[in-house]
Amino acid sequence: MVRFLVRRISLIVVTLLVVSLAIFLVTEVLPGDVASMILGQGATPSNLAAVREQLGLDRPAPARYLSWIANAAQGDLGDSYVQRRPIVDIVKGRLGNSLILAGFAFLMAVPTAILLGVWAGIKRDSLGDQVISIGSLVAISLPEFVTGVLLMVVFASTLHWLPSSSVLLPGTTPLDRPQILILPALTLTGVLLAYVMRMTRANVIEVMQSHYVRTAILKGLPMRRVIFRHVLPNALLPTISIVAMNVGWMLGGLIIVENVFSYPGIGRLLLTSIQGRDVPLLQAVALLIAATYAVSNLLADLSYSILNPRIRLS
Amino acid sequence: MSDILITKSSPPQSALLTVWGALLALGRGFGRQLWMATRTPAGRIGLPLVALHAIIAVFGPLLAPYLPTEFHLRDQLSSPSWQYWLGTDEYGRDIFSRLLSGARSIITVAALGASLGIALGTFVGMSSGYKGGRTDEVVMRIMDGLMSFPALLLALLVLTTLGSNPQNIVLTIGVVFTPRVARVMRSATLSVKTLEFVQNARLRGEPAAYIIFKEILPNTIPVLTVEASVRLSFAILLASSLGFLGLGVQPPSSDWGLMISESRRFMTTAPWIALAPAAAVATLVIGVNLLAEGIRQAQHLPLIEEDISS
């Protein structure tokens, strides 16, 4: 187990280095350097030179990458170019807000999805199963911004039950006004719920057809015991890795949902930095999102291997 | 679907002919998979939905009552009527006409992007899987590295630096999809590679390109078709999401995602601006997903007729 941990954690460090290099290369080395990105089309050569010097762009790219990544590893992400203050200060609250939203959606979606998926898998081809299957296919097909806008039309503009925008006053957290969380979390839940449910259902169906389940049924065990002791442990294992794979998807969904509802999280910040051509902030936010993704994959791998002795012992 | 296509002997031919022959076989294979999908309920709903959108993409602009960029300043934000079937937006542009022209742009961009990703991914995955050993390991590590980015983030980064235009969006979708397709096609290759007819071709001394294109590729068609349809649906989602975030097709051209994004300001007064493009994206993706589901289900159906000779 210790060796497994060491290997996985060193792998994550490598991944983060590769990812940070990729972010750096994409934003700095592709045609159109940072200075011209910041200044846009009306840039004059002297303006460009001034900005380049200010950002230290006159230094060679490898040196800039090394100092960026070394500072980032020590928790210093540099200064935002537009807001002129340390990026760490800007990001901190935003990251917390995003985690609250994502956690809320996760808690709503995953247990419901597993319950419905197991039920649909056991009652395969029943009316309820068909309704669930068709419903989840539709939910998967709707992009987050479509679901979000539809929910907005219904619950905000027509029924006036919930606020249509999730803007927060500075210095407050979403927990002070929990009602602004509901629509974004519901939107985020839609796809996640549908996806996890479909996978759970497929796993349950597969396990139900296995020989050991048939044996268990034929030797006269009560159905309840067959399901809880034989089907669920085996069907839910792959579900864990699917839930983890969905974290990446959810991060993408978070970017969209936060922008649909103007929710002050990391995804909204990403788009603000793109629109404001704030390259240092953009790099930092991108790195943060990629790091979250890598860490959640690690956690998923760990929990999977803890629960599955076949992997732990190999 | 476990038909195995066996080539008996190989007449000497150029690499170009090999590829051309493989592409023809691929086209035939895709066609048959689509036809098989119509035997399932999902496919019977999905295929017409997709076909309808494809027809609108091709002929839509001819049917449009107005130019998509034409301002009707007297009829701003007017609700659906005989004159404007789906109403107008804040500049008095006809929503129906904008919807039709948006169909062409999103379907073209998504289809080209998905095709690029599938072509690159298939090439990388199959050659890496066929070659095996050290090369395979290095290539797949690089692919894993590319996948350690959430797709939308990678797309946003690339488009921000390169600037957003249709070619770059296609390129971006292609790059984002390559590692994902490569992984699927690699494992498909690994399972076909060990079969006897491949060993046979190897012992005959066929070049690697011939074995990959003419022996292995035709036998991965079921996997490839499902992957292609799934990728198409993701490409539409990705392209329309980019549009929503303002990095899609640039204004004044119409883009479904952007139309929805801009509609939020008029949510209370003119909800039809949001509903029309929302319904358009939804039906398109639902159609593609149903088709994918149909193809998948059809592969598990007992075969009625099967001509291996073709």
Side-chain angles (χ1 to χ4, degrees), chain A residues 259-305:
Chain A
N259 283 297
V260 172
F261 294 97
S262 310
Y263 182 87
I266 205 87
R268 178 87 198 110
L269 190 62
L270 180 76
L271 207 70
T272 321
S273 67
I274 288 175
Q275 285 158 350
R277 306 189 156 273
D278 191 343
V279 179
L281 187 60
L282 173 60
Q283 290 172 330
V285 172
L287 186 61
L288 214 58
I289 294 178
T292 315
Y293 187 35
V295 170
S296 59
N297 278 345
L298 172 73
L299 290 180
D301 265 14
L302 285 182
S303 52
Y304 190 75
S305 65

Side-chain angles (χ1 to χ4, degrees), chain B residues 86-239:
Chain B
L86 296 174
T88 60
D89 65 7
E90 73 268 35
Y91 302 109
R93 292 176 300 195
D94 180 41
I95 305 241
F96 182 56
S97 307
R98 289 184 70 68
L99 212 57
L100 292 179
S101 92
R104 180 178 283 186
S105 75
I106 188 151
I107 290 176
T108 320
V109 164
L112 287 178
S115 311
L116 181 66
I118 287 162
L120 286 176
T122 305
F123 179 76
V124 172
M126 292 192 78
S127 16
S128 177
Y130 179 75
K131 192 98 171 77
R134 240 323 169 14
T135 329
D136 183 36
E137 202 159 299
V138 172
V139 171
M140 291 326 281
R141 279 285 151 277
I142 297 175
M143 294 292 126
D144 282 350
L146 272 174
M147 275 205 291
S148 57
F149 268 101
L152 186 64
L153 177 65
L154 185 57
L156 282 176
L157 279 182
V158 173
L159 284 180
T160 310
T161 10
L162 288 183
S164 186
N165 59 42
Q167 292 93 306
N168 287 348
I169 300 175
V170 168
L171 203 72
T172 308
I173 296 177
V175 170
V176 168
F177 284 178
T178 300
R180 291 163 173 86
V181 178
R183 204 144 84 161
V184 171
M185 289 311 289
R186 174 178 173 270
S187 64
T189 306
L190 289 183
S191 63
V192 177
K193 194 173 118 177
T194 51
L195 298 180
E196 271 173 18
F197 63 92
V198 179
Q199 301 300 335
N200 202 354
R202 249 190 219 188
L203 291 176
R204 282 203 309 267
E206 302 286 1
Y210 177 90
I211 298 179
I212 291 175
F213 281 113
K214 298 268 311 209
E215 304 279 1
I216 300 180
L217 187 61
N219 288 297
T220 58
I221 285 177
V223 180
L224 194 56
T225 320
V226 171
E227 186 62 15
S229 51
V230 170
R231 284 300 138 206
L232 182 61
S233 114
F234 277 122
I236 298 165
L237 289 179
L238 187 57

Side-chain angles (χ1 to χ4, degrees), chain A residues 222-239:
Chain A
M223 208 50 204
R224 177 190 302 263
R225 193 170 160 79
V226 174
I227 289 169
F228 281 98
R229 291 284 301 173
H230 297 255
V231 178
L232 288 194
N234 289 296
L236 293 187
L237 259 182
T239 310

Side-chain angles (χ1 to χ4, degrees), chain A residues 15 19 22-23 26-27 30-31 37 137 141-143 145-146 149-150 152-153 157 198 252 256 259-260 270 274 286 293, chain B residues 147-150 152-153 156 160-161 237 240-241 244-245 260 264 267-268 274-275 278 281-282 285-286 289-290 293:
Chain A
T15 310
V19 164
I23 292 173
V26 168
T27 47
L30 283 182
M37 237 170 97
L137 193 101
S141 306
L142 296 178
F145 61 90
V146 169
V149 166
L150 289 180
M152 225 188 239
V153 169
S157 350
R198 282 168 71 90
I256 294 170
N259 283 297
V260 172
L270 180 76
I274 288 175
Y293 187 35
Chain B
M147 275 205 291
S148 57
F149 268 101
L152 186 64
L153 177 65
L156 282 176
T160 310
T161 10
L237 289 179
S240 62
S241 300
F244 177 82
L245 295 177
I260 295 178
R264 277 175 301 163
M267 197 62 86
T268 7
L275 293 180
V281 183
V285 187
I286 290 175
N289 279 343
L290 279 173
E293 187 67 29

Side-chain angles (χ1 to χ4, degrees), chain A residues 163-176:
Chain A
S164 67
S165 130
S166 305
V167 185
L168 278 176
L169 294 173
T172 58
T173 74
L175 296 178
D176 300 331

Side-chain angles (χ1 to χ4, degrees), chain A residues 232-248:
Chain A
L232 288 194
N234 289 296
L236 293 187
L237 259 182
T239 310
I240 295 171
S241 50
I242 286 152
V243 168
M245 266 160 50
N246 270 286
V247 171

